[in-house]
Amino acid sequence: MKRTKKERQRLLMETIKENPFVTDEQLASQFGVSVQTIRLDRMELSIPELRERIKDVAEKNYENEVKSLPLDEVIGEIIDIELDEKALSIFDVKEEHVFQRNGIARGHHLFAQANSLAVAVINDELALTVKSNVVFVKPVKVGDRVITKAIVRGQDHEKNRTYIDVLSTVNNETVFKGEFEMYRTKGKGDTE
Amino acid sequence: MKRTKKERQRLLMETIKENPFVTDEQLASQFGVSVQTIRLDRMELSIPELRERIKDVAEKNYENEVKSLPLDEVIGEIIDIELDEKALSIFDVKEEHVFQRNGIARGHHLFAQANSLAVAVINDELALTVKSNVVFVKPVKVGDRVITKAIVRGQDHEKNRTYIDVLSTVNNETVFKGEFEMYRTKGKGDTE
């Protein structure tokens, strides 16, 4: 049985609120309707298109938030950040990021997105990577949008270390995961 | 007691033969003479300058050697390669590779040099990184020349895996090391 339009629009609003980065294509497939229907729904509900939603989020001006490096040194676009807690970025895979031969994204670009997010999340002037273990779970292709989450897992105050878990997904499927051990000048909560 | 010029020139030739990538500055410091003296020694001995020595080595035309990717997709310059055995590359750290704030090379560039060398050494049309554990041992700065060695440590033919150890040094000091687990379409020595 098909949902009523009203019911669909209610669910649509909820879904986008939960995940602002969902595409019209994903919504269409989720609700079993055409992409055109989703667009009309969005217009009726005054929900901006994905590109605008991303810009809105990015415009919260993370320039003042990120301490460990200038924002233009982050690989990918930071969408959300809570210093010393977690951070989220997106990275659109383009031609220049893939092997010419097979169109698969080169590992060091995924590594760069994850690593720079691990640096950015640290609430400190100096953050350097000490160690990193990464797994390339699934090939990423041109046109894929990689959503990467960094979560601060723990700290060792004596050694000035912060441990960060990073997970990257494309369409909710894990493509990359990593553990980063970071050096910082002072620990979370330390006074200056 | 100072060495005689003859003795110094003999040692100079030996040193350069052993390590063609040594700089005049390093030689001057090693022999306790000025850079100008080293240049004169090289001229008398007809030893080309470093840039030419590197070009000579590179001109062995690795384009025909490397199978897994086009040579211009390798990060750094490949200096030596024996497929499925070992490979060597150099990477000169420039302004665009470092954090603006502290002049320290960003981790993903060292990772990229190591990872692309691990891809290049594989004697196969397809090579993809599956896992990687890396350690950033010592900060690398602008102007540093990173020399990276990849050594094929083992293979698992059933799983189509190749295991590669990578070590990067600057002036003979370890700055980075990594283990790479690579997927390939066929194992070493397999027939087509």
Side-chain angles (χ1 to χ4, degrees):
Chain A
M1 205 188 71
K2 268 211 148 184
R3 284 184 194 90
T4 62
K5 178 173 167 183
K6 207 177 150 185
E7 171 70 0
R8 183 182 68 236
Q9 291 195 343
R10 196 184 57 75
L11 286 171
L12 191 72
M13 282 193 77
E14 264 180 29
T15 306
I16 292 178
K17 201 178 160 190
E18 241 170 62
N19 171 17
F21 309 120
V22 64
T23 64
D24 287 351
E25 287 72 16
Q26 287 167 341
L27 290 165
S29 134
Q30 182 174 337
F31 294 109
V33 296
S34 71
V35 172
Q36 185 57 23
T37 303
I38 295 292
R39 283 192 196 133
L40 292 169
D41 281 349
R42 278 201 298 94
M43 277 167 70
E44 286 182 27
L45 298 165
S46 302
I47 299 173
E49 61 166 344
L50 177 60
R51 187 176 303 269
E52 289 303 313
R53 296 203 298 273
I54 290 172
K55 235 175 97 186
D56 282 357
V57 178
E59 271 173 6
K60 285 186 186 166
N61 197 358
Y62 292 113
E63 194 70 61
N64 298 324
E65 294 269 355
V66 176
K67 277 208 180 172
S68 54
L69 77 177
L71 207 61
D72 62 3
E73 292 196 345
V74 176
I75 316 292
E77 191 162 2
I78 291 189
I79 295 302
D80 194 15
I81 194 158
E82 285 175 53
L83 290 179
D84 280 335
E85 296 287 341
K86 59 186 183 179
L88 188 69
S89 81
I90 61 171
F91 170 60
D92 287 317
V93 178
K94 305 213 169 72
E95 286 293 341
E96 66 263 32
H97 303 124
V98 304
F99 287 110
Q100 295 163 32
R101 199 172 280 179
N102 51 34
I104 294 175
R106 306 194 59 175
H108 66 266
H109 294 300
L110 296 177
F111 182 90
Q113 182 189 13
N115 195 19
S116 66
L117 198 62
V119 172
V121 76
I122 289 184
N123 186 11
D124 212 313
E125 297 290 320
L126 179 70
L128 294 174
T129 311
V130 179
K131 272 188 204 176
S132 159
N133 298 335
V134 299
V135 184
F136 298 87
V137 179
K138 199 172 173 287
V140 172
K141 298 270 189 174
V142 167
D144 282 349
R145 162 160 291 165
V146 185
I147 299 184
T148 295
K149 275 184 207 178
I151 293 179
V152 176
R153 184 164 46 81
Q155 294 214 40
D156 181 332
H157 292 273
E158 277 182 34
K159 289 186 178 172
N160 285 350
R161 294 291 197 274
T162 300
Y163 302 92
I164 297 168
D165 285 344
V166 179
L167 184 76
S168 298
T169 59
V170 171
N171 294 331
N172 287 321
E173 274 193 275
T174 299
V175 294
F176 171 95
K177 50 190 182 178
E179 297 166 1
F180 290 83
E181 178 182 333
M182 312 296 293
Y183 170 82
R184 65 194 293 166
T185 39
K186 50 186 198 297
K188 177 184 172 182
D190 286 8
T191 49
E192 311 233 345
Chain B
M1 205 186 71
K2 269 212 148 183
R3 284 185 195 89
T4 63
K5 178 173 166 184
K6 206 177 152 187
E7 171 70 359
R8 183 183 69 234
Q9 291 196 341
R10 195 182 59 75
L11 286 170
L12 190 73
M13 283 193 77
E14 264 179 27
T15 306
I16 293 179
K17 200 177 161 191
E18 240 169 62
N19 171 16
F21 309 121
V22 64
T23 65
D24 286 349
E25 287 73 16
Q26 288 167 341
L27 290 165
S29 135
Q30 182 174 336
F31 293 110
V33 296
S34 71
V35 171
Q36 184 58 23
T37 303
I38 296 292
R39 284 194 195 129
L40 290 170
D41 280 349
R42 278 201 297 93
M43 277 166 70
E44 286 182 28
L45 297 166
S46 302
I47 300 173
E49 60 166 346
L50 177 60
R51 187 176 304 270
E52 289 303 312
R53 297 201 298 273
I54 290 172
K55 235 175 95 187
D56 282 357
V57 178
E59 270 173 6
K60 286 186 184 165
N61 197 358
Y62 292 113
E63 193 70 60
N64 298 324
E65 295 268 355
V66 176
K67 278 209 179 170
S68 53
L69 77 176
L71 207 61
D72 62 4
E73 292 197 345
V74 176
I75 316 293
E77 191 162 1
I78 290 188
I79 294 302
D80 194 16
I81 194 159
E82 284 175 53
L83 290 179
D84 280 334
E85 297 287 341
K86 59 185 182 177
L88 188 69
S89 81
I90 61 172
F91 170 60
D92 288 317
V93 178
K94 305 215 168 72
E95 286 293 342
E96 67 262 33
H97 303 124
V98 303
F99 287 109
Q100 294 163 33
R101 198 172 281 178
N102 51 34
I104 293 175
R106 305 195 59 175
H108 66 266
H109 294 299
L110 296 178
F111 182 89
Q113 181 188 13
N115 195 19
S116 66
L117 198 61
V119 171
V121 76
I122 288 184
N123 187 10
D124 212 314
E125 296 290 320
L126 179 70
L128 293 174
T129 311
V130 178
K131 272 189 206 175
S132 158
N133 298 336
V134 298
V135 184
F136 298 87
V137 180
K138 197 171 175 288
V140 173
K141 297 269 187 176
V142 167
D144 282 350
R145 160 158 292 166
V146 185
I147 299 184
T148 294
K149 276 184 206 179
I151 293 180
V152 176
R153 183 165 46 81
Q155 294 213 41
D156 181 331
H157 291 273
E158 277 182 33
K159 289 186 178 173
N160 285 350
R161 293 291 197 276
T162 300
Y163 302 92
I164 297 169
D165 285 345
V166 179
L167 185 76
S168 297
T169 59
V170 171
N171 295 329
N172 288 321
E173 273 193 276
T174 299
V175 294
F176 171 95
K177 49 190 182 177
E179 298 166 1
F180 289 83
E181 178 181 333
M182 312 296 293
Y183 169 82
R184 64 194 294 165
T185 40
K186 51 186 199 296
K188 176 182 172 182
D190 285 8
T191 47
E192 312 231 347

